[in-house]
C-alpha cells in the first residue's frame, strides 16, 4: 500500500470516528443541557468541531482537520476521564454510561490512533531533504 493510499484510508477512518463521536454527543446534549448547561454546550461545540473535521478529512484530507479532530477527541477523552474521577465543576458521573460513553470513547481513541499513524506517514513522506553543501575545491 502506498503512503498516499494509506493516508486516504486513515482519513476515512478519522472521518468516520469524528462523525460517530459528533452524533453521540449531539444525541446526549439535550439531556446534559438540562442537567449541567455548560456540559451540554461543550458537547454541542465539540460535535460541530468534529463535523467540520470530518468534512475536512473527506473533502481535502487537510492538516487543520486532523488537528481539530485530534484536539477535540483528546479533550473529550480528558473530560470523560475527569468527570468520572475528580469531577468537573458541579458535575460528576459514575461508570461508562453505556452505550454512549463507550461508543464515544472508542471513536475518539481510534481517531487519535489514526491521527498519529497519519502524522507518521506525513512526516516520513514530507521530510525535508538534507541540505546540499557546495563543493569546495581542494586546497582552499
Amino acid at each position: 500500500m502506498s503512503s498516499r493510499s494509506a493516508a486516504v484510508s486513515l482519513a476515512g477512518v478519522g472521518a468516520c470516528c469524528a462523525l460517530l463521536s459528533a452524533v453521540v454527543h449531539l444525541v446526549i446534549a439535550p439531556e446534559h443541557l438540562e442537567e449541567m448547561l455548560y456540559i451540554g454546550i461543550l458537547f454541542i461545540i465539540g460535535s460541530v468541531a468534529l463535523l467540520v473535521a470530518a468534512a475536512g478529512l473527506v473533502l481535502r484530507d487537510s492538516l487543520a482537520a486532523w488537528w481539530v479532530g485530534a484536539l477535540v477527541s483528546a479533550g473529550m477523552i480528558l473530560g470523560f476521564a475527569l468527570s468520572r474521577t475528580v469531577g468537573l465543576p458541579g458535575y460528576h458521573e459514575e461508570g461508562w454510561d453505556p452505550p454512549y460513553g463507550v461508543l464515544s470513547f472508542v471513536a475518539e481513541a481510534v481517531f487519535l490512533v489514526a491521527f498519529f499513524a497519519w502524522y507518521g506517514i506525513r512526516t516520513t513522506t514530507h521530510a525535508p531533504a538534507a541540505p546540499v553543501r557546495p563543493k569546495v575545491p581542494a586546497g582552499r
Side-chain angles (χ1 to χ4, degrees), residues 1-11 60-61 118 121 125-126:
M1 178 181 281
S2 73
S3 61
R4 179 67 191 141
S5 62
V8 169
S9 296
L10 289 168
R60 298 186 50 216
D61 188 18
W118 173 85
I121 290 170
T125 59
H126 290 81

Side-chain angles (χ1 to χ4, degrees), residues 38-131:
Y38 81 93
I39 299 292
I41 291 170
L42 287 173
F43 281 5
I44 293 168
I45 291 169
S47 295
V48 170
L50 287 172
L51 291 172
V52 169
L57 291 175
V58 169
L59 299 175
R60 298 186 50 216
D61 188 18
S62 76
L63 176 63
W66 275 112
W67 276 104
V68 167
L71 291 173
V72 172
S73 292
M76 287 183 169
I77 289 172
L78 179 62
F80 184 86
L82 290 174
S83 71
R84 279 141 180 86
T85 55
V86 297
L88 297 170
Y91 185 77
H92 190 273
E93 286 283 329
E94 298 291 329
W96 281 84
D97 191 27
Y100 299 117
V102 175
L103 277 173
S104 63
F105 185 86
V106 169
E108 292 145 12
V110 171
F111 185 97
L112 291 174
V113 169
F115 168 71
F116 287 119
W118 173 85
Y119 195 78
I121 290 170
R122 184 180 184 279
T123 55
T124 57
T125 59
H126 290 81

